[in-house]
Amino acid sequence: LRAHRYASAVLGNLGASFVGRGAEPDWVSARQIEPVGTIPYYRNDGKEISLVAAGAVQADFTCARPGEYEVVLQARSKPAVGVYAEAEISIDGTSVGVATVPSPTGIVVSVGRTHLADGEHHFVLTYTNDLYENGEDRNLYVHAVGFRRLDE
């Protein structure tokens, strides 16, 4: 923690601006997420969902504290023709946003912001840009969907 504060002070004095991580998201893990219909070659080992063909996955979740949330995706992807996988997340039928997952190793990307009322909700994550071309196969691998409270 001391080194983090020191680095922040040095970078701040040099004119850098950055946003801290904020609160840790509440995660809906791969084991809680199910496919929507039939997806070719779909696999979920409880830690990672393999979307190697176009399709959507879904889950129900409960919001205990109403407020503004950042929706984040913990995932990795395999590019094809220089483009990484994209995912759209909708909550209760309303699109929150589309995110590109620009890494072959697991990262967390922001999808968008939304207001959640307390109670039950439903999200759908759709893999939007599947491609197989000239031996290159774009794929999306989902680890979790998270909700980071913004209005503490």
Side-chain angles (χ1 to χ4, degrees), residues 17-36:
S17 64
F18 53 92
V19 177
R21 281 184 20 163
E24 184 66 23
D26 291 316
W27 295 103
V28 177
S29 71
R31 80 173 50 84
Q32 299 166 278
I33 301 172
E34 299 291 329
V36 174

Side-chain angles (χ1 to χ4, degrees), residues 123-143:
F123 76 76
V124 175
L125 180 153
T126 305
Y127 174 30
T128 61
N129 68 335
D130 182 42
L131 178 72
Y132 181 84
E133 186 176 295
N134 298 325
E136 293 186 63
D137 189 11
R138 184 179 305 133
N139 298 313
L140 176 64
Y141 304 94
V142 176
H143 301 144

